Amino acid sequence: RGASGPDQDLAARKVLISAGGTREPLDPVRFLGNRSSGRQGVALAEAALARGAEVTLVAAHLEVAVPDGVTVRTVSSTLDLQEAMRTAAAAADIVIMAAAVADYRPADVQADKIKKDIAGDRLSLELVRNPDVLAGLVDGRRPGQVIVGFAAETEPDDALRRELGRTKIQRKGCDLLVLNRVGWTQGFATERNEIEVLDRAGDIVMEASGTKLSVAHRILDSILDGVALDVA
Ligand code: CTP
Ligand code: CA
């Protein structure tokens, strides 16, 4: 895709993307985290930028560099990410929640390092549920805003995985859900990805596999198809 011309199909659109994995502090030196590298979210930012969008990336512990021209808001925990997304979503036309968001956080953050001589041979951590950032964005959605969620599912059976996706998109209320078939690719740090995009009815509107950048372009294609449908 070139820098100008007919491929600028996101020109003047404000695209907000979350990427990476949140970390939930346990004490001053420790956290609970996940294996997300942020590659697919950064690829989405790169693809949207190439298509003329004004891109804001809410970045949680990325393992990859962000292209010049993307506005970056760095966050750490899920609560940080929620705040940054809420603020930036107020101006966004398209919101994509590609980040791996921690479902739970430690109920208490210790002011000092947890010490073995105090904790003993067993240590239990009490966790509390984090807010659902995506569902909150859907609740606060501005008119015409398109909101896209991601779901990494390990279910190998096509029909069962699709059913999980259908249930999830209906629970979240977003417009599209990108089903990431984890276990098909060899892990989180890979350059390639394999995905399906579901609409609100749970129907598959797109399937793609390839580099994370090519998959990103296909995801943006499905978003723009959806936008065209809304206008029609
Ligand atoms: N998500 C979110 N806030 C959370 C958890 C998830 O915004 N507290 C978002 C993710 O960024 C993703 C989508 O919701 O876009 C689906 O995440 P996923 O973990 O697949 O779904 P959950 O609702 O957390 O359900 P599960 O119990 O399967 O993890
Ligand atoms: Ca989850």
Side-chain angles (χ1 to χ4, degrees), residues 101-103 168 172:
V101 174
D103 291 329
K168 195 164 276 184
K172 301 275 185 176

Side-chain angles (χ1 to χ4, degrees), residues 79-96:
L79 293 176
D80 291 345
L81 181 138
Q82 179 182 47
E83 178 63 28
M85 288 300 288
R86 252 197 212 140
T87 305
D93 300 305
I94 297 169
V95 178
I96 307 175

Side-chain angles (χ1 to χ4, degrees), residues 181-196:
R181 310 183 199 185
V182 294
W184 284 25
T185 50
Q186 297 311 306
F188 288 86
T190 60
E191 277 306 324
R192 297 179 65 79
N193 206 0
E194 195 155 359
I195 58 123
E196 302 166 329

Side-chain angles (χ1 to χ4, degrees), residues 112-127:
D112 298 305
K113 263 186 80 179
I114 298 167
K115 301 296 280 182
K116 291 191 295 299
D117 58 357
I118 296 170
D121 289 340
R122 274 178 189 244
L123 173 64
S124 300
L125 295 175
E126 193 186 355
L127 306 179

